[in-house]
Structure formats: C-alpha cells, structure tokens
Amino acid sequence: MIAVVGGQAIGWMWVGPALVVVGLLIIGYATVNLARRGRKSPRMGAGSAAGRILDERYARGEIDEQDYRQRRSMLP
C-alpha cells in the first residue's frame, strides 16, 4: 500500500534518485568508450584506409600481384 502525504505518493520517491543514477551510469559509459576510441593508434596495415584502397585496386585489376605484394609490404 502506498502512503499519500500532501497529495503525493511516497512510494514513488525513489524514482527520481534512481533516474539520476542511471543517467550518471550512461554518461560514464559513454565517456569511457569515447576515451578508448581516442587512444587508438593510427597505424597502417590490413585494416587501415591505405590497406583497403590497395586491396580495392588489386581487386579491380589496376595493379598486378607483384606490385600489390610490394606495396603491401611497405605498409607498417
């Protein structure tokens, strides 16, 4: 049973603080994820933009296998 004092239900008094805690947890989670993304090093390699472009050029036949392997080996 919910007690009513001055027209307000006392049983709902926990909702406000709970929403604040949930909001703080969401903000903290977002902050941690953004910080982790910012620390990623911009290294070249198979997943880099240069590597993807090289893969695409090889797939389209713009460069041959020898040229592809030589350029791929130059990526760190």
Side-chain angles (χ1 to χ4, degrees):
M1 184 164 165
I2 298 175
V4 177
V5 177
Q8 294 181 342
I10 294 176
W12 289 95
M13 289 178 59
W14 62 271
V15 174
L19 289 176
V20 169
V21 169
V22 169
L24 290 173
L25 289 173
I26 290 171
I27 290 171
Y29 177 78
T31 302
V32 168
N33 279 337
L34 288 174
R36 285 183 182 169
R37 282 189 208 167
R39 277 194 255 157
K40 288 184 180 175
S41 63
R43 294 183 60 212
M44 298 288 191
S48 70
R52 286 191 302 271
I53 292 170
L54 189 59
D55 292 343
E56 290 171 7
R57 289 186 65 198
Y58 178 65
R60 287 192 299 257
E62 294 177 13
I63 56 176
D64 62 2
E65 184 177 356
Q66 182 181 1
D67 194 20
Y68 172 78
R69 290 186 187 276
Q70 178 186 7
R71 291 176 189 226
R72 175 59 80 176
S73 69
M74 293 170 43
L75 294 177

Short mmCIF file of all heavy atoms in Angstrom, two decimals:
data_model
loop_
_atom_site.label_atom_id
_atom_site.label_comp_id
_atom_site.label_asym_id
_atom_site.label_seq_id
_atom_site.Cartn_x
_atom_site.Cartn_y
_atom_site.Cartn_z
N MET A 1 0.84 -1.17 0.00
CA MET A 1 0.00 0.00 0.00
C MET A 1 0.89 1.24 0.00
O MET A 1 1.89 1.30 0.69
CB MET A 1 -0.88 -0.02 1.24
CG MET A 1 -1.86 1.09 1.29
SD MET A 1 -3.06 0.64 2.53
CE MET A 1 -3.82 2.16 2.77
N ILE A 2 0.54 2.23 -0.78
CA ILE A 2 1.32 3.46 -0.89
C ILE A 2 0.68 4.53 -0.02
O ILE A 2 -0.50 4.82 -0.13
CB ILE A 2 1.37 3.94 -2.36
CG1 ILE A 2 2.06 2.88 -3.22
CG2 ILE A 2 2.05 5.27 -2.47
CD1 ILE A 2 2.04 3.20 -4.69
N ALA A 3 1.50 5.10 0.85
CA ALA A 3 1.01 6.17 1.71
C ALA A 3 0.99 7.48 0.94
O ALA A 3 1.89 7.78 0.16
CB ALA A 3 1.91 6.31 2.93
N VAL A 4 -0.04 8.27 1.13
CA VAL A 4 -0.16 9.55 0.45
C VAL A 4 -0.03 10.66 1.48
O VAL A 4 -0.75 10.71 2.46
CB VAL A 4 -1.51 9.66 -0.29
CG1 VAL A 4 -1.66 11.03 -0.94
CG2 VAL A 4 -1.64 8.56 -1.32
N VAL A 5 0.94 11.56 1.24
CA VAL A 5 1.17 12.68 2.15
C VAL A 5 1.10 13.96 1.32
O VAL A 5 1.89 14.16 0.41
CB VAL A 5 2.54 12.57 2.84
CG1 VAL A 5 2.79 13.78 3.72
CG2 VAL A 5 2.64 11.29 3.64
N GLY A 6 0.20 14.83 1.63
CA GLY A 6 0.08 16.10 0.92
C GLY A 6 -0.23 15.91 -0.56
O GLY A 6 0.18 16.71 -1.39
N GLY A 7 -0.93 14.85 -0.92
CA GLY A 7 -1.30 14.64 -2.31
C GLY A 7 -0.23 13.93 -3.14
O GLY A 7 -0.41 13.71 -4.33
N GLN A 8 0.91 13.58 -2.53
CA GLN A 8 1.97 12.89 -3.26
C GLN A 8 2.13 11.47 -2.75
O GLN A 8 1.98 11.21 -1.57
CB GLN A 8 3.30 13.63 -3.10
CG GLN A 8 3.33 14.99 -3.74
CD GLN A 8 4.68 15.65 -3.57
OE1 GLN A 8 5.47 15.25 -2.73
NE2 GLN A 8 4.93 16.67 -4.37
N ALA A 9 2.45 10.59 -3.63
CA ALA A 9 2.64 9.19 -3.26
C ALA A 9 4.09 9.00 -2.81
O ALA A 9 5.02 9.21 -3.57
CB ALA A 9 2.32 8.29 -4.43
N ILE A 10 4.28 8.60 -1.56
CA ILE A 10 5.61 8.41 -1.00
C ILE A 10 6.31 7.22 -1.68
O ILE A 10 7.52 7.21 -1.82
CB ILE A 10 5.54 8.20 0.53
CG1 ILE A 10 5.04 9.46 1.20
CG2 ILE A 10 6.89 7.80 1.09
CD1 ILE A 10 4.83 9.32 2.69
N GLY A 11 5.58 6.27 -2.16
CA GLY A 11 6.15 5.09 -2.79
C GLY A 11 6.94 5.40 -4.05
O GLY A 11 7.76 4.61 -4.48
N TRP A 12 6.72 6.55 -4.66
CA TRP A 12 7.41 6.93 -5.89
C TRP A 12 8.63 7.81 -5.63
O TRP A 12 9.27 8.26 -6.58
CB TRP A 12 6.45 7.65 -6.84
CG TRP A 12 5.44 6.72 -7.42
CD1 TRP A 12 4.20 6.48 -6.95
CD2 TRP A 12 5.62 5.88 -8.56
NE1 TRP A 12 3.56 5.56 -7.72
CE2 TRP A 12 4.42 5.17 -8.73
CE3 TRP A 12 6.65 5.66 -9.44
CZ2 TRP A 12 4.24 4.25 -9.75
CZ3 TRP A 12 6.47 4.76 -10.47
CH2 TRP A 12 5.28 4.06 -10.62
N MET A 13 8.99 8.03 -4.40
CA MET A 13 10.10 8.93 -4.08
C MET A 13 11.46 8.37 -4.54
O MET A 13 12.41 9.12 -4.69
CB MET A 13 10.15 9.22 -2.58
CG MET A 13 9.01 10.12 -2.13
SD MET A 13 9.02 10.44 -0.37
CE MET A 13 10.59 11.17 -0.13
N TRP A 14 11.56 7.11 -4.78
CA TRP A 14 12.82 6.51 -5.21
C TRP A 14 13.07 6.68 -6.70
O TRP A 14 14.19 6.49 -7.17
CB TRP A 14 12.83 5.03 -4.86
CG TRP A 14 11.74 4.25 -5.56
CD1 TRP A 14 10.48 4.05 -5.11
CD2 TRP A 14 11.81 3.62 -6.83
NE1 TRP A 14 9.75 3.34 -6.01
CE2 TRP A 14 10.55 3.05 -7.09
CE3 TRP A 14 12.81 3.48 -7.78
CZ2 TRP A 14 10.27 2.36 -8.26
CZ3 TRP A 14 12.53 2.78 -8.94
CH2 TRP A 14 11.27 2.23 -9.17
N VAL A 15 12.07 7.03 -7.49
CA VAL A 15 12.20 7.10 -8.94
C VAL A 15 13.18 8.20 -9.36
O VAL A 15 14.05 7.98 -10.21
CB VAL A 15 10.83 7.31 -9.61
CG1 VAL A 15 10.98 7.54 -11.11
CG2 VAL A 15 9.92 6.13 -9.34
N GLY A 16 13.08 9.38 -8.78
CA GLY A 16 13.98 10.49 -9.14
C GLY A 16 15.44 10.15 -8.92
O GLY A 16 16.25 10.25 -9.86
N PRO A 17 15.83 9.74 -7.72
CA PRO A 17 17.22 9.36 -7.49
C PRO A 17 17.69 8.20 -8.37
O PRO A 17 18.83 8.17 -8.84
CB PRO A 17 17.27 8.97 -6.01
CG PRO A 17 16.14 9.71 -5.40
CD PRO A 17 15.08 9.77 -6.46
N ALA A 18 16.81 7.25 -8.63
CA ALA A 18 17.18 6.12 -9.49
C ALA A 18 17.47 6.60 -10.91
O ALA A 18 18.42 6.14 -11.56
CB ALA A 18 16.08 5.07 -9.50
N LEU A 19 16.67 7.53 -11.42
CA LEU A 19 16.91 8.07 -12.75
C LEU A 19 18.22 8.85 -12.81
O LEU A 19 18.93 8.80 -13.82
CB LEU A 19 15.75 8.96 -13.18
CG LEU A 19 14.43 8.24 -13.50
CD1 LEU A 19 13.33 9.25 -13.82
CD2 LEU A 19 14.62 7.26 -14.65
N VAL A 20 18.56 9.55 -11.74
CA VAL A 20 19.84 10.27 -11.71
C VAL A 20 20.99 9.28 -11.76
O VAL A 20 21.96 9.47 -12.51
CB VAL A 20 19.93 11.15 -10.44
CG1 VAL A 20 21.33 11.69 -10.25
CG2 VAL A 20 18.92 12.29 -10.52
N VAL A 21 20.91 8.21 -11.02
CA VAL A 21 21.97 7.20 -11.01
C VAL A 21 22.10 6.55 -12.39
O VAL A 21 23.21 6.39 -12.91
CB VAL A 21 21.70 6.13 -9.92
CG1 VAL A 21 22.63 4.94 -10.07
CG2 VAL A 21 21.83 6.74 -8.55
N VAL A 22 20.98 6.21 -13.01
CA VAL A 22 21.02 5.61 -14.34
C VAL A 22 21.63 6.59 -15.34
O VAL A 22 22.46 6.21 -16.18
CB VAL A 22 19.60 5.18 -14.78
CG1 VAL A 22 19.57 4.81 -16.26
CG2 VAL A 22 19.12 4.01 -13.94
N GLY A 23 21.27 7.86 -15.25
CA GLY A 23 21.83 8.87 -16.14
C GLY A 23 23.34 9.00 -15.97
O GLY A 23 24.08 9.10 -16.95
N LEU A 24 23.81 8.99 -14.72
CA LEU A 24 25.24 9.07 -14.47
C LEU A 24 25.98 7.85 -15.00
O LEU A 24 27.09 7.96 -15.53
CB LEU A 24 25.51 9.25 -12.97
CG LEU A 24 25.10 10.60 -12.38
CD1 LEU A 24 25.26 10.58 -10.86
CD2 LEU A 24 25.93 11.71 -12.99
N LEU A 25 25.37 6.68 -14.89
CA LEU A 25 25.98 5.47 -15.42
C LEU A 25 26.09 5.54 -16.95
O LEU A 25 27.12 5.16 -17.52
CB LEU A 25 25.18 4.24 -15.01
CG LEU A 25 25.26 3.84 -13.54
CD1 LEU A 25 24.29 2.72 -13.23
CD2 LEU A 25 26.68 3.43 -13.18
N ILE A 26 25.07 6.05 -17.60
CA ILE A 26 25.10 6.17 -19.06
C ILE A 26 26.16 7.17 -19.49
O ILE A 26 26.93 6.91 -20.43
CB ILE A 26 23.71 6.57 -19.60
CG1 ILE A 26 22.73 5.41 -19.42
CG2 ILE A 26 23.77 7.01 -21.06
CD1 ILE A 26 21.29 5.76 -19.72
N ILE A 27 26.25 8.29 -18.81
CA ILE A 27 27.27 9.30 -19.13
C ILE A 27 28.66 8.73 -18.91
O ILE A 27 29.57 8.93 -19.71
CB ILE A 27 27.04 10.59 -18.30
CG1 ILE A 27 25.78 11.29 -18.79
CG2 ILE A 27 28.25 11.52 -18.39
CD1 ILE A 27 25.34 12.45 -17.91
N GLY A 28 28.87 8.01 -17.82
CA GLY A 28 30.16 7.39 -17.55
C GLY A 28 30.54 6.37 -18.60
O GLY A 28 31.68 6.33 -19.07
N TYR A 29 29.59 5.54 -19.01
CA TYR A 29 29.84 4.54 -20.04
C TYR A 29 30.23 5.21 -21.36
O TYR A 29 31.19 4.80 -22.01
CB TYR A 29 28.59 3.68 -20.22
CG TYR A 29 28.70 2.65 -21.32
CD1 TYR A 29 29.41 1.48 -21.10
CD2 TYR A 29 28.09 2.85 -22.54
CE1 TYR A 29 29.52 0.53 -22.10
CE2 TYR A 29 28.20 1.90 -23.55
CZ TYR A 29 28.90 0.74 -23.32
OH TYR A 29 29.01 -0.18 -24.32
N ALA A 30 29.50 6.25 -21.74
CA ALA A 30 29.80 6.96 -22.99
C ALA A 30 31.18 7.61 -22.92
O ALA A 30 31.94 7.59 -23.89
CB ALA A 30 28.73 8.01 -23.26
N THR A 31 31.53 8.18 -21.77
CA THR A 31 32.83 8.83 -21.61
C THR A 31 33.97 7.83 -21.75
O THR A 31 34.96 8.09 -22.43
CB THR A 31 32.90 9.54 -20.24
OG1 THR A 31 31.84 10.48 -20.15
CG2 THR A 31 34.23 10.24 -20.05
N VAL A 32 33.83 6.68 -21.13
CA VAL A 32 34.87 5.66 -21.20
C VAL A 32 35.03 5.17 -22.64
O VAL A 32 36.15 5.02 -23.14
CB VAL A 32 34.54 4.47 -20.26
CG1 VAL A 32 35.43 3.27 -20.54
CG2 VAL A 32 34.67 4.91 -18.82
N ASN A 33 33.93 4.95 -23.35
CA ASN A 33 34.02 4.48 -24.74
C ASN A 33 34.66 5.53 -25.64
O ASN A 33 35.46 5.19 -26.52
CB ASN A 33 32.64 4.11 -25.28
CG ASN A 33 32.23 2.73 -24.83
OD1 ASN A 33 33.07 1.90 -24.50
ND2 ASN A 33 30.95 2.48 -24.80
N LEU A 34 34.33 6.79 -25.46
CA LEU A 34 34.94 7.85 -26.26
C LEU A 34 36.43 7.96 -25.97
O LEU A 34 37.24 8.18 -26.88
CB LEU A 34 34.25 9.19 -26.01
CG LEU A 34 32.85 9.32 -26.61
CD1 LEU A 34 32.22 10.63 -26.16
CD2 LEU A 34 32.89 9.23 -28.12
N ALA A 35 36.82 7.79 -24.71
CA ALA A 35 38.24 7.86 -24.35
C ALA A 35 39.01 6.70 -24.97
O ALA A 35 40.14 6.87 -25.43
CB ALA A 35 38.39 7.84 -22.83
N ARG A 36 38.40 5.52 -25.01
CA ARG A 36 39.07 4.36 -25.62
C ARG A 36 39.25 4.56 -27.11
O ARG A 36 40.27 4.19 -27.67
CB ARG A 36 38.28 3.10 -25.36
CG ARG A 36 38.40 2.59 -23.97
CD ARG A 36 37.66 1.30 -23.80
NE ARG A 36 37.75 0.85 -22.43
CZ ARG A 36 37.04 -0.13 -21.93
NH1 ARG A 36 36.18 -0.78 -22.70
NH2 ARG A 36 37.17 -0.48 -20.68
N ARG A 37 38.26 5.13 -27.78
CA ARG A 37 38.37 5.37 -29.21
C ARG A 37 39.46 6.38 -29.51
O ARG A 37 40.16 6.27 -30.50
CB ARG A 37 37.06 5.91 -29.77
CG ARG A 37 36.04 4.86 -29.97
CD ARG A 37 34.86 5.42 -30.71
NE ARG A 37 33.68 4.67 -30.33
CZ ARG A 37 32.46 5.03 -30.59
NH1 ARG A 37 32.23 6.15 -31.22
NH2 ARG A 37 31.46 4.30 -30.22
N GLY A 38 39.61 7.37 -28.67
CA GLY A 38 40.61 8.40 -28.88
C GLY A 38 42.03 7.90 -28.74
O GLY A 38 42.96 8.46 -29.29
N ARG A 39 42.23 6.81 -28.01
CA ARG A 39 43.57 6.27 -27.78
C ARG A 39 44.04 5.31 -28.85
O ARG A 39 45.18 4.90 -28.85
CB ARG A 39 43.60 5.53 -26.44
CG ARG A 39 43.82 6.47 -25.28
CD ARG A 39 44.18 5.69 -24.06
NE ARG A 39 43.01 5.67 -23.21
CZ ARG A 39 42.76 4.77 -22.28
NH1 ARG A 39 43.59 3.79 -22.09
NH2 ARG A 39 41.69 4.84 -21.55
N LYS A 40 43.19 4.94 -29.77
CA LYS A 40 43.61 4.02 -30.82
C LYS A 40 44.66 4.67 -31.68
O LYS A 40 44.54 5.80 -32.10
CB LYS A 40 42.42 3.61 -31.69
CG LYS A 40 41.45 2.69 -30.98
CD LYS A 40 40.36 2.25 -31.91
CE LYS A 40 39.40 1.33 -31.19
NZ LYS A 40 38.27 0.97 -32.04
N SER A 41 45.71 3.92 -31.94
CA SER A 41 46.80 4.47 -32.73
C SER A 41 46.45 4.40 -34.22
O SER A 41 45.86 3.43 -34.68
CB SER A 41 48.10 3.69 -32.47
OG SER A 41 47.94 2.36 -32.88
N PRO A 42 46.83 5.41 -34.96
CA PRO A 42 46.52 5.43 -36.39
C PRO A 42 47.54 4.64 -37.21
O PRO A 42 48.15 5.16 -38.13
CB PRO A 42 46.57 6.92 -36.72
CG PRO A 42 47.56 7.48 -35.76
CD PRO A 42 47.41 6.66 -34.51
N ARG A 43 47.78 3.39 -36.85
CA ARG A 43 48.76 2.56 -37.55
C ARG A 43 48.20 2.10 -38.88
O ARG A 43 47.02 1.83 -39.03
CB ARG A 43 49.11 1.34 -36.70
CG ARG A 43 49.84 1.70 -35.42
CD ARG A 43 50.22 0.46 -34.67
NE ARG A 43 51.07 -0.35 -35.51
CZ ARG A 43 51.11 -1.68 -35.46
NH1 ARG A 43 50.35 -2.32 -34.63
NH2 ARG A 43 51.91 -2.35 -36.27
N MET A 44 49.08 1.96 -39.83
CA MET A 44 48.71 1.43 -41.13
C MET A 44 48.69 -0.09 -41.03
O MET A 44 49.26 -0.68 -40.15
CB MET A 44 49.72 1.85 -42.19
CG MET A 44 49.81 3.31 -42.40
SD MET A 44 48.34 3.87 -43.24
CE MET A 44 48.83 5.51 -43.64
N GLY A 45 48.08 -0.72 -41.98
CA GLY A 45 48.05 -2.17 -42.00
C GLY A 45 46.84 -2.66 -42.75
O GLY A 45 46.24 -1.94 -43.53
N ALA A 46 46.49 -3.90 -42.50
CA ALA A 46 45.41 -4.52 -43.25
C ALA A 46 44.08 -3.79 -43.05
O ALA A 46 43.27 -3.73 -43.96
CB ALA A 46 45.28 -5.98 -42.83
N GLY A 47 43.84 -3.25 -41.89
CA GLY A 47 42.57 -2.59 -41.62
C GLY A 47 42.59 -1.10 -41.88
O GLY A 47 41.60 -0.43 -41.71
N SER A 48 43.73 -0.56 -42.30
CA SER A 48 43.84 0.88 -42.49
C SER A 48 43.21 1.31 -43.81
O SER A 48 42.92 0.49 -44.69
CB SER A 48 45.31 1.31 -42.47
OG SER A 48 45.95 0.83 -43.63
N ALA A 49 43.04 2.60 -43.97
CA ALA A 49 42.48 3.14 -45.20
C ALA A 49 43.40 2.83 -46.38
O ALA A 49 42.94 2.46 -47.47
CB ALA A 49 42.26 4.64 -45.07
N ALA A 50 44.71 2.98 -46.18
CA ALA A 50 45.66 2.69 -47.26
C ALA A 50 45.59 1.22 -47.66
O ALA A 50 45.63 0.88 -48.85
CB ALA A 50 47.07 3.06 -46.83
N GLY A 51 45.47 0.35 -46.68
CA GLY A 51 45.37 -1.08 -46.97
C GLY A 51 44.10 -1.42 -47.72
O GLY A 51 44.12 -2.23 -48.65
N ARG A 52 43.00 -0.80 -47.34
CA ARG A 52 41.73 -1.05 -48.03
C ARG A 52 41.78 -0.55 -49.47
O ARG A 52 41.30 -1.23 -50.39
CB ARG A 52 40.58 -0.40 -47.27
CG ARG A 52 40.21 -1.13 -45.99
CD ARG A 52 38.91 -0.61 -45.41
NE ARG A 52 38.95 0.81 -45.13
CZ ARG A 52 39.36 1.36 -43.99
NH1 ARG A 52 39.76 0.58 -43.00
NH2 ARG A 52 39.36 2.66 -43.81
N ILE A 53 42.37 0.62 -49.68
CA ILE A 53 42.48 1.16 -51.03
C ILE A 53 43.35 0.25 -51.89
O ILE A 53 43.03 -0.04 -53.05
CB ILE A 53 43.05 2.60 -51.00
CG1 ILE A 53 42.03 3.54 -50.37
CG2 ILE A 53 43.43 3.06 -52.40
CD1 ILE A 53 42.57 4.92 -50.07
N LEU A 54 44.44 -0.22 -51.31
CA LEU A 54 45.33 -1.13 -52.04
C LEU A 54 44.60 -2.42 -52.40
O LEU A 54 44.70 -2.91 -53.53
CB LEU A 54 46.56 -1.42 -51.19
CG LEU A 54 47.70 -2.17 -51.85
CD1 LEU A 54 48.22 -1.42 -53.06
CD2 LEU A 54 48.83 -2.38 -50.85
N ASP A 55 43.84 -2.97 -51.45
CA ASP A 55 43.05 -4.17 -51.72
C ASP A 55 42.05 -3.94 -52.85
O ASP A 55 41.88 -4.79 -53.73
CB ASP A 55 42.31 -4.62 -50.47
CG ASP A 55 43.24 -5.12 -49.37
OD1 ASP A 55 44.40 -5.42 -49.66
OD2 ASP A 55 42.77 -5.18 -48.21
N GLU A 56 41.39 -2.79 -52.83
CA GLU A 56 40.41 -2.48 -53.88
C GLU A 56 41.07 -2.35 -55.25
O GLU A 56 40.54 -2.84 -56.25
CB GLU A 56 39.66 -1.19 -53.52
CG GLU A 56 38.73 -1.34 -52.34
CD GLU A 56 38.17 0.00 -51.86
OE1 GLU A 56 38.41 1.04 -52.53
OE2 GLU A 56 37.50 0.00 -50.82
N ARG A 57 42.22 -1.70 -55.30
CA ARG A 57 42.92 -1.53 -56.58
C ARG A 57 43.35 -2.89 -57.14
O ARG A 57 43.24 -3.12 -58.35
CB ARG A 57 44.14 -0.63 -56.40
CG ARG A 57 43.75 0.83 -56.16
CD ARG A 57 44.94 1.73 -56.14
NE ARG A 57 45.57 1.73 -57.47
CZ ARG A 57 46.82 2.12 -57.69
NH1 ARG A 57 47.57 2.54 -56.70
NH2 ARG A 57 47.32 2.09 -58.90
N TYR A 58 43.80 -3.78 -56.26
CA TYR A 58 44.19 -5.11 -56.70
C TYR A 58 42.96 -5.88 -57.19
O TYR A 58 43.00 -6.56 -58.22
CB TYR A 58 44.89 -5.85 -55.56
CG TYR A 58 45.29 -7.26 -55.91
CD1 TYR A 58 46.24 -7.51 -56.89
CD2 TYR A 58 44.72 -8.34 -55.26
CE1 TYR A 58 46.61 -8.81 -57.22
CE2 TYR A 58 45.09 -9.64 -55.57
CZ TYR A 58 46.02 -9.87 -56.56
OH TYR A 58 46.39 -11.15 -56.87
N ALA A 59 41.86 -5.77 -56.46
CA ALA A 59 40.63 -6.48 -56.85
C ALA A 59 40.09 -5.98 -58.19
O ALA A 59 39.54 -6.77 -58.97
CB ALA A 59 39.58 -6.30 -55.76
N ARG A 60 40.25 -4.71 -58.48
CA ARG A 60 39.78 -4.16 -59.76
C ARG A 60 40.74 -4.45 -60.91
O ARG A 60 40.43 -4.18 -62.06
CB ARG A 60 39.59 -2.64 -59.64
CG ARG A 60 38.38 -2.24 -58.83
CD ARG A 60 38.08 -0.77 -58.99
NE ARG A 60 39.17 0.08 -58.52
CZ ARG A 60 39.19 0.74 -57.37
NH1 ARG A 60 38.17 0.65 -56.54
NH2 ARG A 60 40.21 1.49 -57.04
N GLY A 61 41.93 -4.95 -60.59
CA GLY A 61 42.90 -5.27 -61.62
C GLY A 61 43.77 -4.09 -62.03
O GLY A 61 44.46 -4.14 -63.05
N GLU A 62 43.77 -3.02 -61.23
CA GLU A 62 44.58 -1.84 -61.56
C GLU A 62 46.07 -2.11 -61.33
O GLU A 62 46.91 -1.49 -61.98
CB GLU A 62 44.15 -0.64 -60.72
CG GLU A 62 42.75 -0.16 -61.03
CD GLU A 62 42.32 0.97 -60.13
OE1 GLU A 62 43.17 1.56 -59.42
OE2 GLU A 62 41.11 1.27 -60.11
N ILE A 63 46.39 -3.01 -60.41
CA ILE A 63 47.79 -3.36 -60.14
C ILE A 63 47.90 -4.88 -60.17
O ILE A 63 46.95 -5.60 -59.88
CB ILE A 63 48.28 -2.80 -58.78
CG1 ILE A 63 47.40 -3.26 -57.63
CG2 ILE A 63 48.35 -1.28 -58.81
CD1 ILE A 63 47.89 -2.83 -56.26
N ASP A 64 49.08 -5.37 -60.51
CA ASP A 64 49.28 -6.81 -60.56
C ASP A 64 49.70 -7.32 -59.18
O ASP A 64 49.92 -6.55 -58.24
CB ASP A 64 50.29 -7.20 -61.63
CG ASP A 64 51.69 -6.62 -61.38
OD1 ASP A 64 51.88 -5.94 -60.36
OD2 ASP A 64 52.57 -6.85 -62.23
N GLU A 65 49.82 -8.65 -59.07
CA GLU A 65 50.11 -9.27 -57.77
C GLU A 65 51.46 -8.84 -57.22
O GLU A 65 51.59 -8.58 -56.02
CB GLU A 65 50.04 -10.79 -57.89
CG GLU A 65 50.25 -11.47 -56.56
CD GLU A 65 50.12 -12.98 -56.66
OE1 GLU A 65 49.79 -13.51 -57.75
OE2 GLU A 65 50.35 -13.64 -55.63
N GLN A 66 52.45 -8.76 -58.09
CA GLN A 66 53.79 -8.37 -57.64
C GLN A 66 53.77 -6.95 -57.06
O GLN A 66 54.33 -6.70 -55.99
CB GLN A 66 54.78 -8.45 -58.80
CG GLN A 66 56.20 -8.11 -58.39
CD GLN A 66 57.16 -8.18 -59.57
OE1 GLN A 66 56.77 -8.47 -60.69
NE2 GLN A 66 58.43 -7.93 -59.29
N ASP A 67 53.14 -6.04 -57.76
CA ASP A 67 53.04 -4.66 -57.29
C ASP A 67 52.24 -4.59 -55.99
O ASP A 67 52.59 -3.87 -55.05
CB ASP A 67 52.39 -3.79 -58.37
CG ASP A 67 52.57 -2.31 -58.12
OD1 ASP A 67 53.48 -1.94 -57.35
OD2 ASP A 67 51.79 -1.52 -58.68
N TYR A 68 51.16 -5.38 -55.93
CA TYR A 68 50.34 -5.42 -54.72
C TYR A 68 51.16 -5.88 -53.51
O TYR A 68 51.14 -5.24 -52.46
CB TYR A 68 49.15 -6.35 -54.95
CG TYR A 68 48.34 -6.63 -53.70
CD1 TYR A 68 47.44 -5.70 -53.21
CD2 TYR A 68 48.50 -7.83 -53.00
CE1 TYR A 68 46.70 -5.95 -52.06
CE2 TYR A 68 47.77 -8.08 -51.86
CZ TYR A 68 46.87 -7.14 -51.39
OH TYR A 68 46.16 -7.39 -50.25
N ARG A 69 51.87 -6.98 -53.67
CA ARG A 69 52.66 -7.52 -52.55
C ARG A 69 53.77 -6.54 -52.13
O ARG A 69 54.04 -6.38 -50.95
CB ARG A 69 53.24 -8.87 -52.91
CG ARG A 69 52.20 -9.95 -53.02
CD ARG A 69 52.82 -11.32 -53.22
NE ARG A 69 51.82 -12.31 -53.48
CZ ARG A 69 51.13 -12.94 -52.53
NH1 ARG A 69 51.35 -12.66 -51.27
NH2 ARG A 69 50.24 -13.85 -52.85
N GLN A 70 54.39 -5.90 -53.11
CA GLN A 70 55.45 -4.93 -52.79
C GLN A 70 54.88 -3.75 -51.99
O GLN A 70 55.43 -3.37 -50.97
CB GLN A 70 56.09 -4.43 -54.08
CG GLN A 70 57.18 -3.40 -53.82
CD GLN A 70 57.71 -2.80 -55.12
OE1 GLN A 70 57.19 -3.06 -56.20
NE2 GLN A 70 58.75 -1.99 -55.01
N ARG A 71 53.76 -3.23 -52.45
CA ARG A 71 53.16 -2.08 -51.74
C ARG A 71 52.62 -2.50 -50.38
O ARG A 71 52.69 -1.75 -49.42
CB ARG A 71 52.06 -1.47 -52.59
CG ARG A 71 52.60 -0.78 -53.83
CD ARG A 71 51.49 -0.28 -54.70
NE ARG A 71 51.99 0.18 -55.97
CZ ARG A 71 51.63 1.33 -56.54
NH1 ARG A 71 50.77 2.12 -55.94
NH2 ARG A 71 52.12 1.67 -57.69
N ARG A 72 52.06 -3.71 -50.29
CA ARG A 72 51.52 -4.19 -49.02
C ARG A 72 52.64 -4.34 -47.99
O ARG A 72 52.46 -4.04 -46.82
CB ARG A 72 50.80 -5.52 -49.26
CG ARG A 72 50.28 -6.21 -48.02
CD ARG A 72 49.32 -5.40 -47.23
NE ARG A 72 47.99 -5.44 -47.82
CZ ARG A 72 46.96 -4.86 -47.25
NH1 ARG A 72 47.09 -4.22 -46.11
NH2 ARG A 72 45.79 -4.89 -47.82
N SER A 73 53.80 -4.78 -48.45
CA SER A 73 54.93 -4.98 -47.53
C SER A 73 55.45 -3.64 -47.02
O SER A 73 56.10 -3.58 -45.96
CB SER A 73 56.04 -5.77 -48.19
OG SER A 73 56.65 -4.99 -49.22
N MET A 74 55.20 -2.57 -47.73
CA MET A 74 55.68 -1.25 -47.31
C MET A 74 54.79 -0.63 -46.23
O MET A 74 55.20 0.28 -45.53
CB MET A 74 55.76 -0.31 -48.51
CG MET A 74 56.85 -0.73 -49.50
SD MET A 74 56.84 0.12 -51.07
CE MET A 74 56.56 1.80 -50.66
N LEU A 75 53.57 -1.16 -46.08
CA LEU A 75 52.68 -0.65 -45.03
C LEU A 75 53.13 -1.20 -43.68
O LEU A 75 53.40 -2.39 -43.56
CB LEU A 75 51.23 -1.08 -45.31
CG LEU A 75 50.58 -0.48 -46.54
CD1 LEU A 75 49.18 -1.06 -46.71
CD2 LEU A 75 50.53 1.02 -46.47
N PRO A 76 53.21 -0.36 -42.66
CA PRO A 76 53.63 -0.84 -41.33
C PRO A 76 52.60 -1.73 -40.69
O PRO A 76 51.48 -1.70 -40.94
CB PRO A 76 53.81 0.42 -40.51
CG PRO A 76 53.54 1.57 -41.38
CD PRO A 76 53.08 1.06 -42.70
#
